[in-house]
């Protein structure tokens, strides 16, 4: 008689197999009530990643019909979330399949909680954007897709949900696919980050095409030939950019337990480090070699991102928290002035020249926003001139830091190219930023190379000052002209004021043209001023002239700034040539 042998379960073999699986982080996105939490709950339920007592605890509760489980309750754990039937905070959930491990960030869809969506997507390798099949592409769907693209989330899985409510109609799905493909192409062109999108029709409540396929000639959608959502998630390529990128190590703490040991602790932001590697410490520019890579379990011969380790160098260097240790052959940029894409998260609008705290890796630096380059209209994806950003507004700004710090453009390194802005008074996070341009400053002890000598060009002045040489004629009340000059000075404009009533110009009328020409050639903004007691102010730049009501100083100042933008005297960040 044959005997049946049961394989012996080995916990060591199981854990070893789990360690060998790669990890994919993904976030959900989309408008409110598109079914994000229900989709994640269904995904967890159908992959048997929830315990029976969790399922029993939500049976008979929620907003679904009698006898149906409200899968959203598996992720919406806050009392306010369950009472209102919405997602407020980011909920992180872990599950695994035979092929891969996953960490899900279930993010809210309400516009009020857009900042939470940005938080969840900031560490994601992919995004699942949900669209309600009955509503189509909404503004919040556009906003979330735009933020995901800004955050360099390359892989976007578009789940057209609630297909059961429209009778699984193929034409509706195809129409949404066409519309949102166009939107994603526009977003990719606007942000400069490519987007690889895949569309899948699903019903999260019923379970169609979430884990189990409901197409390929079978099920509720026989017209759909593609894989299920889970099959798509399992097939996405793993993210390797943090390990293959240049070595970056923000120092979090200096460890010196006794006189025999001095190490620098932190988490490897990108790249890999080995004993013997040549490194440079920024912003000081000092160099050394890695002597040891120390962990609690012993020294390592190799340490890839994102391990937390302690580095011991072969010689003593003055290094403190906030310094950045980088590969000697691939250094970061040390900059005081940056242009960055900003997602504004605070109810109080952005204020130029207000003191904010620039939180970057492991350091905090005071900073000022000197200019708003443009604001993006999410509904049309058009760039608009603006002086501020409201809550959930997205735009490009210029920031001046009080001291230079090492950084990378976000397009090259997500860890060292990202930052947050903190209000110095309330200590609340007001914005998330992605560095697009970092304007390098000279390194301490550095030398000018002979090939950098020569005349300073107009383009270099434009890049440094953010504007070209030009004439701005102002004819009106002296106090109002003073306010305009002060506003230009506060945002870093290099200008010179010329009074047309000066005796020298009255005696020699041709002298005014000579002086203004020389100032334009020097890259200055020449303010040619004629003061009077009029009730209006006339502003003229290039071939454009505006007559403004002097009784509204703030509106006059804003109008003059717009005039300088419209005449291209102010140089947008993408044209500075840096």
């Amino acid at each position: 008689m044959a005997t049946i042998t049961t394989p012996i379960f080995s916990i060591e073999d199981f854990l070893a197999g789990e360690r060998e699986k790669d990890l994919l982080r993904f976030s959900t996105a989309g408008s409110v009530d598109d079914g994000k939490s229900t989709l994640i709950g269904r995904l967890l339920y159908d992959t048997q990643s929830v315990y029976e007592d969790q399922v029993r605890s939500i049976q008979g509760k929620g907003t679904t019909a009698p006898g149906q489980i409200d899968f959203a309750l598996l992720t919406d754990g806050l009392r306010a979330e369950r009472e209102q039937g919405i997602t407020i905070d980011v909920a992180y959930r872990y599950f695994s399949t035979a092929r891969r491990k996953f960490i899900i960030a279930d993010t809210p869809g309400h516009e009020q909680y857009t900042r939470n969506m940005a938080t969840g997507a900031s560490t994601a390798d992919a995004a699942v954007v949900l669209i309600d099949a009955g509503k189509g592409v909404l503004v919040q769907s556009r906003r979330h897709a735009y933020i995901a693209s800004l955050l360099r989330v390359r892989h976007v899985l578009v789940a057209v949900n609630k297909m059961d409510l429209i009778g699984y109609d193929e034409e509706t799905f195809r129409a949404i696919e066409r519309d949102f493909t166009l939107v994603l192409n526009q977003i990719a062109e606007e942000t400069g980050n490519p987007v690889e999108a895949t569309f899948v029709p699903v019903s999260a409540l019923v379970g169609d095409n979430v884990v189990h396929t409901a197409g390929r000639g079978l099920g509720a959608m026989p017209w759909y030939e593609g894989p299920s959502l889970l099959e798509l998630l399992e097939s996405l390529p793993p993210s390797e950019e943090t390990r293959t990128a240049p070595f970056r190590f923000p120092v979090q703490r200096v460890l010196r337990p006794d006189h025999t040991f001095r190490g620098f602790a932190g988490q490897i932001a990108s790249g890999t480090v080995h004993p013997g590697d040549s490194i440079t410490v920024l912003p000081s520019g000092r160099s050394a070699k890695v002597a040891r890579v120390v962990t609690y379990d012993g020294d390592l011969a190799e340490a890839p991102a994102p391990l937390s380790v302690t580095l011991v160098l072969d010689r003593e260097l003055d290094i403190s928290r906030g310094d950045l240790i980088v590969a000697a052959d691939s250094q970061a940029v040390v900059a005081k002035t940056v242009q960055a894409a900003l997602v504004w998260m605070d109810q109080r609008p952005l204020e130029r020249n207000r003191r904010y705290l620039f939180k970057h890796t492991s350091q905090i630096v005071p900073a000022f926003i000197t200019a708003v380059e443009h604001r993006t209209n999410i509904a049309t994806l058009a760039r608009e001139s603006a002086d501020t950003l409201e809550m959930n507004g997205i735009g490009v700004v210029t920031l001046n830091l009080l001291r230079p710090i090492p950084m990378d453009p976000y397009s090259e390194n997500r860890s060292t190219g990202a930052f947050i802005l903190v209000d110095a008074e309330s200590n609340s996070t007001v914005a998330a930023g992605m560095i697009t341009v970092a304007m390098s400053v000279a390194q301490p002890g550095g030398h000018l190379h002979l090939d950098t000598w020569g005349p300073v060009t107009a383009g270099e002045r434009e890049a440094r000052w953010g504007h070209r040489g030009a004439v701005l004629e102002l004819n009106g009340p002296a106090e109002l002209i003073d306010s305009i000059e002060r506003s230009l000075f506060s945002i870093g404009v290099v200008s010179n004021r010329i009074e047309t009533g000066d005796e020298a110009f009255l005696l020699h009328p041709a002298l005014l043209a000579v002086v203004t020409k020389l100032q334009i050639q020097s890259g200055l903004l020449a303010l040619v001023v004629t003061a009077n007691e009029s009730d209006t102010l006339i502003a003229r730049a290039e071939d454009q002239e505006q007559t403004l009501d002097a009784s509204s100083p703030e509106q006059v100042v804003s109008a003059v700034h717009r005039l300088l933008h419209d005449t291209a005297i102010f140089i947008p960040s993408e044209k500075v040539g840096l």
Side-chain angles (χ1 to χ4, degrees), residues 34 129-133 136-137 141 158-162 176 180 199:
D34 281 350
V129 179
L130 273 82
I131 297 177
D132 188 327
V137 180
S141 307
V158 184
V160 181
N161 193 24
K162 304 186 182 180
I176 293 175
F180 204 56
F199 290 77

Side-chain angles (χ1 to χ4, degrees), residues 9 23 28 31 33 90 156 175 189 220 227 234 326 339 363 389 406 419 433 439 451 453 471 574:
F9 175 77
L23 173 67
T28 60
S31 189
D33 290 334
V90 182
V156 175
E189 184 177 353
E234 288 183 324
V326 302
Q339 264 105 31
Q363 64 179 321
L389 292 177
F419 64 91
M439 302 179 188
D451 57 5
W453 292 7
V471 174
E574 65 269 16

Side-chain angles (χ1 to χ4, degrees), residues 1 36 73 81 89 101 104 135 185 248 262 268:
M1 181 176 180
K36 295 179 294 298
L73 299 182
E81 292 179 322
D89 199 6
K101 295 179 291 186
I104 315 168
K135 298 177 182 178
N185 290 339
R248 300 288 185 264
R262 180 181 174 86
I268 302 174

Side-chain angles (χ1 to χ4, degrees), residues 39 130-131 133 158-164 168 173 200-205 207-210 221 227-229:
L39 179 76
L130 273 82
I131 297 177
V158 184
V160 181
N161 193 24
K162 304 186 182 180
M163 291 294 295
D164 55 311
Y168 300 99
F173 170 74
V200 53
V202 302
S203 172
L205 186 63
D208 294 327
N209 270 348
V210 179
M221 292 174 277
S228 67
L229 179 64

Side-chain angles (χ1 to χ4, degrees), residues 436-448:
T436 56
V437 179
M439 302 179 188
S440 177
V441 299
Q443 294 294 313
H447 302 280
L448 285 173

Side-chain angles (χ1 to χ4, degrees), residues 134-173:
K135 298 177 182 178
V137 180
L138 303 177
V139 172
Q140 190 69 342
S141 307
R142 291 168 171 262
R143 179 178 284 107
H144 281 195
Y146 191 95
I147 293 174
S149 179
L150 274 182
L151 293 167
R152 287 182 58 207
V153 180
R154 184 185 187 96
H155 301 286
V156 175
L157 306 182
V158 184
V160 181
N161 193 24
K162 304 186 182 180
M163 291 294 295
D164 55 311
L165 298 183
I166 62 166
Y168 300 99
D169 181 54
E170 180 181 6
E171 184 54 40
T172 302
F173 170 74

Side-chain angles (χ1 to χ4, degrees), residues 336 355-359 364-368 400-403:
K336 278 185 66 176
R355 183 175 181 269
Y356 295 104
L357 300 179
F358 186 93
K359 175 71 171 67
I364 299 176
V365 182
F368 299 86
N400 281 345
L401 314 183
L402 261 59
R403 60 180 172 84

Side-chain angles (χ1 to χ4, degrees), residues 339 373 398 439 459-468 491-494 565 568-573 576:
Q339 264 105 31
E373 298 287 342
T398 299
M439 302 179 188
E460 290 174 315
R461 290 192 177 95
E462 292 174 6
R464 175 65 61 87
W465 296 336
H467 65 83
R468 59 183 176 86
I491 63 172
V493 173
V494 183
H565 278 288
I569 293 173
F570 283 173
I571 308 298
S573 61
V576 298

